[in-house]
Amino acid sequence: MQEFLEFALGGLAVGMIYAAIGLSLVLIWRGTRILNYSQGGMAMFTTYVALIVINHTGNYWEGFGAALAAGLLLGAVLERVVIRPIENKPPLNAVIVTIGLLIFLEGLAGIIYGGQFRSFPPAFSIVGLSVGHTALGISRTDLFTAAAVLTAALLLAALFRFTAVGLRLRATAFAPNVARLLGVRIGRVLTLGWALAGLIGALAGVLVTPSTFLYPNSMDSIFVLGFTAAVIGGLESPVGAIVGGLVLGVVLNLAGGYLGSDLVPMFGLAALMLVLMVRPSGLFSTTAVRQV
Amino acid sequence: MTLARHTGAALLVAVVIFVLTIRLGPFRDYQIAEVAAYVTAVAGLTYLIGLSGQISIGHGAFMAIGAYASALLLLHLHWPLEAVFATSALAGAAAGGIIGVAAARLRGPYLAGATLLLAVALPSLADKYAGVFGGDQGLSVSVTTPAWLGVSFPPTRWLAWLTCAAALVTLVLLANLGRSRIGRSWRALRDNEVAASLAGLNVARMQILAFVVSSACAGLGGALLAVVTDIVSPGNFTLTLSISLLTAAILGGLGSLAGALWGGLVLVFVPTYVQDVATSHGLSSAASSNVPIAAYGVVLILVMLLFPSGIQGGLRRLLGPVAPAASAPFNALRRHAPASEHQEEGTT
Amino acid sequence: MKRTHRANLALVAGTAVTAMVIAACGSSGTSTPSSSPSAGASSSSSAALTASAPGITATTITIGSHQPLTGVAAPGYDEIAPASNAYFQYVNAHGGIYGRKIVYKFLNDQYNPTDTSTVVHQLVLQDNVYAIFNGLGTPTHLAVAPFLNAQKVPDVFVASGCECWNAPAKWPDTYGWQLDYIREGKILGQYVAQHFKGKKIGYFSQDDEFGMDGVKGLDDEIPKSQVVARQTYNPTNVNVGPQVAALKAAGAQVVISFSVPAFTALLQLTSLKLKFSPQLVVSDVGSDPTTLGGLLAAFGKSKKLSALTSGIITDGYLPSLGSTNNSWITLFKKIHAQYIPKLPFDGNVAYGLAAGYTFVQAMFKAGRNPTRQDLLNAINGGLPQGPSVAPYAYSATDHNGITGAYIAIIKNGALVQKGPVLVTDTSSSGAITPYTTAQPPAPASGIPAP
């Protein structure tokens, strides 16, 4: 029972990170119909920015804020400079461009910061918490991670549903030509979408890097799982990304714990295929498909 | 007629390669062999994406299957190479059939996600069943130059001949397939799935067939790569390989076999070229090993910005009339995208 | 349609030819490598320097290597080749090897055996290197060892602890260098069996031959009944929560870890989270205090963390980096400060310097105008002990390198030796015996005597 609790809660904690990456992928997909393969690379880069600030000022929260700001900026700049020219081109070109972007960011980080592992501080203590005599297997930092991701998701949902900006974002995603006719500045809205995705990605980066250590390729495997989470939940649904991330985290942890760590990737594949065979567009998709 | 024309072209290319392998040095021969292995795999992938409109970021897994099949056959059964290559292609085809069936209902990014995870998960089986697959150390593959060539025949030249022969056979078969009824069916369902289905095409069967053909090519490509690199291990088949194959297919020009050739050449020659340029500038170690990486990323971005239809598309534009079908094959990722005004918003 | 198609094919053929001709013009050297038995090693000290083998000219010796300079295996390991190169530059600045300068070309293979094969083919077939030195990684080097032996290129001092490099009949050109993992497992295992009698032991090992060989050595010494859990991890998955939870559930009081530093750190951090505090025994590569301390540096909030590295039991086959009176460490520090000050002075740098020293030892012994066979003969004849605490095993029938290590406990960020150096072999029944001969000091010039 103790073990099960540790596996499950640990899985939820790590699933929050997959959820965050999945969320940023969903944001970009909904807005621009592009799969941003460089999402992990962007998060890695902004985490380096955070580390520089933390080492300079000695203050974790300043670094945290710097990462989020850098995420906003990086997302906006990349959209404007690199993605805008290919937005109306064949969508597979965007895949290659984002892959190229990822490779470039990893190389750039290696050039500027070197390939060494860097230690990245957690927000709070990582010592495990217990209820009475039962160790829960999670720490204050894990609770903060969960709270941060959920808050970000809720704020995003509120943005989408209750603000004019959110309405414009949704309009651009689903009926860009009509939105343009109604006076929405499509270009600016798309830039905003990427900026927000960069922000969420940066958040995921600073939350997960204490456990992966910071180096140019640190977000590679996290990205794969975040992508999986988004696909499980359905790329159209932010809630789906969160649920997908949590489900994936728990399933992988339980599989790794009870069946051995070498089967974890196969289990991830099995979980994904199971979901997709039942619902080919993810758990939370309800898009109508025209059957003939 | 088509077969004769394609075979003739292949023979012409074979003569060119024969001359090149003799004139160029042994390391260039090795690189030619690498190119041939990649071209075989990329050709299948470019047909899958370009002709049938399905995306796969997991073809490295099919290469792994073909490679391990060939390694096991050579190690335990000592079959002749032709039989080994054919069986590796069949192994790839079988796996492609299974994946094709499982993924028949998936479109666009969901298919991408499934194939991505396949690429990540499959090599871990080698660690799990280390007794059979050699675990992390992998299995050794060794191919000896046949005796009739003489003792001092450079081994890399033999590798180049072997792999190029296999690649040319594959390309001829694929070229024929592309011009056949099956190829036309693939194009039809890529362009408009509903219309194709209305016209009587069995969409699912055609899609699965495309997967089978492309994974057979990838399986053969994996066997060729195994023979060239002398080892088959999980470390050879990382996600990076699958991404490189996708990159090569798109950079070269989707749906086109010439594009597969350009893609293969880019894969083998661009990274070494960029590395040579970097080391010759005497940068510090950390910088000099990362500059080629960053430069490769920039190259990918620039090529896509400048040649949206890939290298082959760019060459066509520069040198000849634009073939009307050249721009169609790119909607593989948008397969399930909303025809905006007609689709509901389907989320919370 | 026909015309376009034919034009296409002509275009393809023509461009392919053009591309390859351009590439051919750029290629340097098309000579096939020779295992030339040129005029044997000259022993006269005033004989002229000749190009006695591929890669050797009158003024240079060119050697090559494959290293993970980028990618997931790069952190830490990318310091080794620059460190060896620093030692070579030091030797070059002080007269070289009989006047020749060493040129060290280490190419990036990103720990991918496909790339390893490509760069090694390039080094041998195009760059005509004299030897391949310190090729890093087991799966990567296994890709090229057969090729190197078929081409009769010396493949010296492989940077991997696999005992597969000791195969003189099958691979006469290949030599190991570092203490192999089976020996290391035996030495650590014996210490644990002697000092933790009756306690429950858990294993935490990497799921490749590094971990498997280490466990094999451990099992030779530790009674099976004491081992309550055997957990493995894969370097691509940083979430080791399930493994640590399983170790805790089994009640392990001592955890022996055959892990790389990142995963030692993850083991410790996850144990903190799960409130699990066993005695840690970590193999040499995973316990380097500088690297480990660097990984754990940002976790200084919890008071318990200051004690994280102290108390770890490990082994070492080079002198402790914290020694203040060891002539080898003094030499290493001097070269590090002069040539590679930007790199941290950690276990990887010491490894690279020590391996470079061994190569220079072998080259001096090979003679003034060495052929490739001369280098092999030099190593087969045995090399005097260098920076390692135990002697090499090199002989015509044994291509293993360092044969032993000492047990140490980490205190204040440095290894503190506990007990004598222990030497052994790789067999399951081979005895582990103390080696009491004092380590020879470093030469005053820092360069081995010819």
Side-chain angles (χ1 to χ4, degrees):
Chain A
M1 183 55 203
Q2 164 88 7
E3 238 188 330
F4 177 79
L5 203 60
E6 283 169 352
F7 291 155
L9 288 177
L12 284 176
V14 78
M16 276 298 174
I17 303 294
Y18 307 151
I21 295 285
L23 198 57
S24 43
L25 286 172
V26 167
L27 259 178
I28 291 187
W29 175 259
R30 272 171 68 132
T32 55
R33 281 283 174 273
I34 290 176
L35 263 184
N36 182 11
Y37 206 82
S38 64
Q39 193 66 54
M42 289 164 62
M44 172 272 297
F45 208 80
T46 53
T47 312
Y48 267 108
V49 171
L51 189 64
I52 306 286
V53 171
I54 292 175
N55 286 344
H56 246 338
T57 65
N59 185 329
Y60 174 81
W61 296 106
E62 284 184 32
F64 188 83
L68 297 184
L72 274 172
L73 191 62
L74 189 62
V77 165
L78 287 179
E79 196 278 333
R80 201 66 193 75
V81 172
V82 178
I83 305 294
R84 185 68 64 86
I86 54 150
E87 244 148 34
N88 293 319
K89 296 285 184 353
L92 278 176
N93 290 19
V95 170
I96 301 301
V97 168
T98 53
I99 290 175
L101 208 49
L102 170 71
I103 296 176
F104 172 69
L105 285 173
E106 287 178 347
L108 189 64
I111 295 173
I112 302 179
Y113 307 112
Q116 264 64 45
F117 279 126
R118 306 288 188 99
S119 193
F120 192 84
F124 299 101
S125 155
I126 59 153
V127 177
L129 303 165
S130 342
V131 170
H133 286 294
T134 326
L136 289 175
I138 51 174
S139 63
R140 276 204 194 89
T141 302
D142 290 329
L143 292 176
F144 171 71
T145 302
V149 173
L150 285 173
T151 310
L154 285 172
L155 286 174
L156 262 183
L159 180 82
F160 271 109
R161 200 150 277 275
F162 299 121
T163 67
V165 171
L167 185 60
R168 284 200 281 273
L169 277 165
R170 280 190 287 150
T172 312
F174 285 96
N177 293 323
V178 176
R180 192 179 275 125
L181 286 173
L182 290 174
V184 174
R185 301 276 203 99
I186 302 288
R188 288 204 192 150
V189 169
L190 293 177
T191 309
L192 179 63
W194 270 73
L196 286 175
L199 176 78
I200 309 276
L203 178 68
V206 296
L207 291 174
V208 78
T209 304
S211 326
T212 64
F213 310 115
L214 185 58
Y215 63 104
N217 295 75
S218 56
M219 293 295 288
D220 281 357
S221 46
I222 306 286
F223 169 80
V224 169
L225 291 168
F227 183 27
T228 309
V231 170
I232 288 180
L235 275 171
E236 310 285 345
S237 160
V239 169
I242 307 271
V243 171
L246 293 176
V247 164
L248 192 65
V250 172
V251 165
L252 291 184
N253 243 34
L254 289 174
Y258 288 122
L259 297 168
S261 63
D262 39 7
L263 279 178
V264 166
M266 286 305 284
F267 252 89
L269 179 64
L272 178 68
M273 290 311 288
L274 207 61
V275 168
L276 287 180
M277 301 216 356
V278 175
R279 296 187 68 85
S281 297
L283 282 175
F284 280 74
S285 63
T286 57
T287 39
V289 175
R290 281 190 299 180
Q291 294 284 7
V292 174
Chain B
M1 241 345 264
T2 316
L3 179 61
R5 202 172 53 221
H6 288 149
T7 318
L11 283 174
L12 182 69
V13 175
V15 168
V16 168
I17 293 176
F18 179 79
V19 169
L20 281 176
T21 55
I22 294 187
R23 301 284 299 166
L24 300 175
F27 179 57
R28 294 294 176 213
D29 290 347
Y30 180 84
Q31 290 184 304
I32 292 175
E34 278 191 302
V35 171
Y38 286 127
V39 167
T40 311
V42 173
L45 184 62
T46 199
Y47 263 27
L48 179 71
I49 305 180
L51 288 194
S52 82
Q54 302 176 88
I55 189 172
S56 166
I57 316 185
H59 260 50
F62 299 121
M63 285 188 85
I65 291 176
Y68 271 100
S70 65
L72 288 170
L73 287 173
L74 285 171
L75 206 59
H76 297 299
L77 295 178
H78 310 291
W79 279 7
L81 273 180
E82 309 80 35
V84 170
F85 287 162
T87 317
S88 305
L90 279 174
I98 298 175
I99 302 297
V101 167
R105 295 211 292 160
L106 302 183
R107 301 285 182 270
Y110 304 99
L111 183 57
T115 49
L116 180 87
L117 214 53
L118 177 72
V120 169
L122 200 70
S124 69
L125 283 180
D127 283 328
K128 175 69 181 159
Y129 300 105
V132 178
F133 296 114
D136 211 61
Q137 299 187 67
L139 300 170
S140 246
V141 174
S142 68
V143 162
T144 46
T145 319
W148 55 268
L149 284 170
V151 172
S152 60
F153 193 80
T156 51
R157 193 183 300 165
W158 169 241
L159 282 180
W161 286 2
L162 206 55
T163 50
C164 288
L168 283 173
V169 168
T170 311
L171 289 177
V172 167
L173 291 175
L174 280 179
N176 280 351
L177 200 60
R179 297 207 167 273
S180 72
R181 180 181 59 85
I182 295 179
R184 287 193 291 277
S185 308
W186 284 340
R187 287 187 185 87
L189 71 92
R190 167 201 74 199
D191 288 339
N192 193 326
E193 200 178 310
V194 174
S197 167
L198 281 173
L201 277 182
N202 188 327
V203 169
R205 197 183 300 166
M206 282 292 126
Q207 285 181 327
I208 295 172
L209 183 62
F211 246 101
V212 166
V213 166
S214 71
S215 54
C217 295
L220 178 60
L224 295 177
L225 198 63
V227 157
V228 167
T229 56
D230 283 348
I231 193 163
V232 177
S233 74
N236 294 74
F237 302 103
T238 57
L239 183 60
T240 309
L241 176 65
S242 294
I243 305 234
S244 301
L245 293 175
L246 181 72
T247 306
I250 298 181
L251 267 189
L254 278 182
S256 131
L257 293 177
L261 175 63
W262 306 135
L265 288 172
V266 165
L267 267 189
V268 172
F269 285 103
V270 170
T272 40
Y273 172 75
V274 179
Q275 177 156 34
D276 286 343
V277 169
T279 38
S280 67
H281 277 80
L283 301 161
S284 85
S285 182
S288 72
S289 43
N290 279 291
V291 164
I293 310 278
Y296 187 65
V298 172
V299 164
L300 291 184
I301 298 177
L302 283 179
V303 172
M304 278 288 95
L305 289 179
L306 295 173
F307 298 107
S309 307
I311 298 177
Q312 179 64 9
L315 284 174
R316 273 213 196 107
R317 236 189 14 233
L318 284 173
L319 297 165
V322 177
S327 53
F330 294 95
N331 289 313
L333 207 53
R334 274 210 190 124
R335 289 303 312 286
H336 208 52
S340 338
E341 285 80 0
H342 299 281
Q343 195 135 25
E344 343 253 336
E345 186 176 301
T347 63
T348 54
Chain C
M1 217 37 203
K2 255 191 192 174
R3 202 169 47 219
T4 317
H5 186 65
R6 211 175 284 146
N8 262 353
L9 286 174
L11 186 62
V12 167
T15 321
V17 173
T18 319
M20 290 187 186
V21 168
I22 293 176
C25 291
S27 79
S28 53
T30 57
S31 56
T32 47
S34 61
S35 48
S36 52
S38 51
S42 163
S43 52
S44 156
S45 61
S46 57
L49 298 177
T50 63
S52 51
I56 302 222
T57 69
T59 49
T60 57
I61 302 172
T62 306
I63 56 176
S65 185
H66 61 86
Q67 302 281 327
L69 299 177
T70 61
V72 294
Y77 290 152
D78 62 351
E79 299 167 16
I80 294 181
S84 300
N85 200 25
Y87 184 73
F88 295 149
Q89 289 176 295
Y90 176 79
V91 170
N92 290 346
H94 290 86
I97 301 193
Y98 298 121
R100 289 190 181 94
K101 295 205 191 308
I102 305 175
V103 175
Y104 184 27
K105 293 190 78 159
F106 49 96
L107 297 182
N108 185 7
D109 69 355
Q110 303 206 71
Y111 211 73
N112 183 331
T114 308
D115 292 357
T116 312
S117 188
T118 306
V119 302
V120 169
H121 274 80
Q122 181 182 338
L123 288 167
V124 171
L125 298 177
Q126 188 179 71
D127 302 331
N128 289 311
V129 296
Y130 174 65
I132 296 291
F133 162 71
N134 212 225
L136 198 147
T138 308
T140 44
H141 201 76
L142 281 173
V144 294
F147 167 71
L148 290 172
N149 279 274
Q151 299 278 327
K152 296 200 176 21
V153 176
D155 174 23
V156 297
F157 312 139
V158 180
S160 139
C162 178
E163 55 145 1
C164 39
W165 316 122
N166 177 20
K170 181 170 72 155
W171 289 340
D173 293 72
T174 301
Y175 297 84
W177 181 75
Q178 69 189 71
L179 180 70
D180 64 82
Y181 304 130
I182 298 187
R183 278 186 166 91
E184 200 183 355
K186 285 173 66 177
I187 293 176
L188 283 175
Q190 184 197 49
Y191 183 84
V192 170
Q194 285 173 347
H195 289 77
F196 294 98
K197 281 199 172 62
K199 296 265 203 257
K200 296 187 183 167
I201 318 276
Y203 292 164
F204 180 71
S205 59
Q206 191 157 302
D207 67 352
D208 62 3
E209 56 77 41
F210 159 48
M212 291 198 290
D213 277 359
V215 165
K216 206 192 290 185
L218 289 173
D219 281 341
D220 286 342
E221 297 296 318
I222 300 180
K224 292 261 173 20
S225 54
Q226 261 188 287
V227 182
V228 297
R230 293 161 183 267
Q231 292 292 317
T232 62
Y233 71 87
N234 187 296
T236 56
N237 182 1
V238 292
N239 179 14
V240 296
Q243 290 93 321
V244 179
L247 285 169
K248 179 180 165 198
Q253 294 158 298
V254 177
V255 170
I256 313 184
S257 177
F258 263 84
S259 55
V260 291
F263 281 83
T264 315
L266 286 174
L267 171 66
Q268 293 188 281
L269 294 172
T270 315
S271 301
L272 259 187
K273 198 194 287 199
L274 294 179
K275 298 190 112 118
F276 174 53
S277 32
Q279 165 68 50
L280 266 189
V281 178
V282 182
S283 83
D284 167 79
V285 66
S287 70
D288 177 48
T290 315
T291 312
L292 210 49
L295 288 167
L296 296 170
F299 295 87
K301 279 200 187 89
S302 296
K303 292 195 203 78
K304 301 181 189 188
L305 284 158
S306 57
L308 262 184
T309 54
S310 286
I312 293 180
I313 298 171
T314 180
D315 67 284
Y317 53 86
L318 296 175
S320 165
L321 298 185
S323 314
T324 44
N325 55 2
N326 184 292
S327 53
W328 294 101
I329 300 298
T330 314
L331 171 67
F332 288 170
K333 278 194 174 138
K334 185 171 87 173
I335 298 179
H336 166 260
Q338 187 177 358
Y339 292 96
I340 41 171
K342 290 220 179 77
L343 296 182
F345 186 68
D346 64 7
N348 290 308
V349 163
Y351 182 103
L353 290 169
Y357 182 92
T358 313
F359 179 73
V360 171
Q361 274 185 290
M363 283 307 297
F364 270 120
K365 200 171 167 215
R368 285 184 63 84
N369 287 310
T371 62
R372 280 172 165 161
Q373 187 61 41
D374 287 333
L375 179 59
L376 304 183
N377 294 340
I379 307 176
N380 286 341
L383 290 178
Q385 191 174 334
S388 57
V389 301
Y392 304 116
Y394 298 129
S395 74
T397 51
D398 192 336
H399 285 193
N400 263 326
I402 300 172
T403 50
Y406 55 86
I407 298 286
I409 305 203
I410 300 182
K411 276 196 176 67
N412 295 328
L415 265 63
V416 174
Q417 180 167 345
K418 245 193 128 191
V421 174
L422 301 164
V423 292
T424 181
D425 64 4
T426 55
S427 73
S428 56
S429 53
I432 305 174
T433 50
Y435 180 76
T436 47
T437 314
Q439 185 188 31
S445 63
I447 302 180

